[in-house]
Amino acid sequence: MNTYNYTYQNNSFKTEIDYSLFKDEKNILIQVFCGQNENTLQYLINLLSDNLPNAVILGTTTDGEIKDKKVSTFKTVISISVFKYTTIKASIKEGTNSFNSGFEIAKELVTPNTKLIITFTDGTSTNGEDYLKGITAFNEKVMVCGGMAGDNGHFTQTFISCGKKVINCGAVAVSLNSDILQVFNDHKYDWSPIGIEHTIDKVKGNRIYEIAGMDAIEFYEKYLGSSDSYTEFPLIVQRNGISVARAVLTRYPDGSFGCGGNLYKGDKVRLGFANAEMIMKNPVNYLKNINNYQAETFFIYSCMARRRYMQSLIKVEIEPFASIAPTSGFFTYAEFFHTNEKNELMNQTITLVGLTENAQHSSDDLVKPSQIINETESSYAKTIQALTNLIQQSAKDHNEQSKVLEEQMNYSQKILKNQKLFLRHAVHETNTPLSVIMSNIELYEMQNGKNEYLSNIEVAMKSIFSIYDDLSYLVKKDQVNYKVYSLDLVDFVRSRVYFFKSVATQVSSKFILECNCPEMIINFSETKLQRIVDNTISNAIKYTNKGEDITVKVEKITNFFKFSVSSHSKKIQDPQKIFDEYYREEESKNGFGLGLNLVKRICDEEGVIINVTSDSDNTCFTYIFKGNK
């Protein structure tokens, strides 16, 4: 076989091709890689069809063109391949059902000796992954290459063609059928995942709506600073044992993004960044499948992001192949590749196929990268390589730190879970003996009268009961919905004062209860109200000076009710801190420092206003409740 590559420019194409070279040939494949517009594509395929009526012609618009050792943009490359022992079949399918298009094309093209399908689809409406699934559904072993059409990065309208027909939605393809033709393929990826993993939360086919709890556009703006660079930073996911990039091709008004291929809800993805060190390697040496064969022709279908990211360095990837055999191709919006008997949709990848009908064909000496890159480009390459290394190392450090942090969090959560479990069991097991002790004290006093020692035990038991109630509330508060009732604040406070009367007696104190209204109705949880009242009264008993009275007031002020407890005690040095968890100003006093923190949390939840005043003579806790209307 032989391949001849041409570049269309200055409207002089009629004289640049010697059509007489092909007049006696029967098996001619022409690929038109058009970086201009639909009219140019239509003009050229008409011209080629008229002059080479026996040729099979496929065409596509591009985001850059490849002709031997040169990469161009906004030009058109014509690749004419002549086969001796290979027949060519062509197919075209219009429409938006990507799977059906793939299945029908494979059905029309695949024969028992099909060695390769070359296919192009539009780059804006076709779902490339579904298209390949359609081909695989008919024949999973046939090798597929090619890619999705481009439109110079505008992502608005792409075109493909077969024969003289140009379409903007669908697929075109040819099959190469032969017992002699040898075909070998490979790909070069070079994009590495960076940063942490993110989860795809909402997606439909190839359209992404939410990533990591954010709208797709918010995600890219957060991590890239802008949503304009999404093409050069794809989402990387593992598919069938290889890293597959999903580059964004379309941005929708609702903030979602369209990719060339599918992602799935729950997929773990990471942003990708080009690995300059891998890009700089000679691809012929790197790609074992290519290095082990001698090609007569190379077709390259490479991602647009590689050309845009690598700029002039892209020839590092192209020239080594052109030094071996005629090389042509284009820069795509997504690439088709066959591996492990599966067809995969790739992004950010250079894919290539080598073809020969001559097993004895020999290759020229390979071109080394040092022969390709000049001093300016080498400096640029080193800068990119250093930046890549910086990002890779930073990502590695971040991942290691994240792993350590995750282990610490898991350990802390385990401890917290065990702590809660211990408290739940402790509270449950404490209730029964406390109830037994209190019941027996009451029975003894009924039969034998008051006893000084039992009275002391009773006082201590009431303190323990108050602590028990606090712990019980803490354990149950997230599992129990505490119902709200209409409660008489006056009656409720009076009953709690009576409960703690014997406790106050132990410090030679007595309660003075004052009310300016016989009844004050509030809507409140009885359990939560008891925590407020009990903790405030018990703290007053604990910290009041021995022999001093404790004043408890319940007052009506317009539409509000005020509950306050005043005691003669030492000045509180830091009134704000007393509501902090585990804080106690006097370590000698009993307690866990949880009571007032619990009170503060309940008051915040229920909209109760707290006010604390304290001086060298008096400390007063005040709570303002809303009254019923």
Side-chain angles (χ1 to χ4, degrees), residues 36 47 54 65 96 98 109 125 170 187 201 217 223 229 257 274 297 302 320 355 429 496 508 511 540 576 605 628:
Q36 292 157 290
L47 179 66
N54 293 330
E65 308 80 48
T96 58
S98 303
L109 296 184
S125 60
H187 76 292
D201 296 323
I217 190 170
Y223 287 100
S229 302
F257 287 100
T297 291
S302 182
L355 296 90
E429 296 298 328
R496 301 317 295 167
S508 302
F511 290 111
Q576 296 303 318
E605 291 171 3
N628 283 1

Side-chain angles (χ1 to χ4, degrees), residues 437-451 454-455 458:
I437 294 171
M438 287 299 293
S439 297
N440 278 274
I441 290 173
E442 291 173 0
L443 287 172
Y444 183 89
E445 289 179 344
M446 288 173 61
Q447 294 178 8
N448 302 291
K450 290 285 184 178
N451 179 289
L454 284 180
S455 294
E458 182 181 1

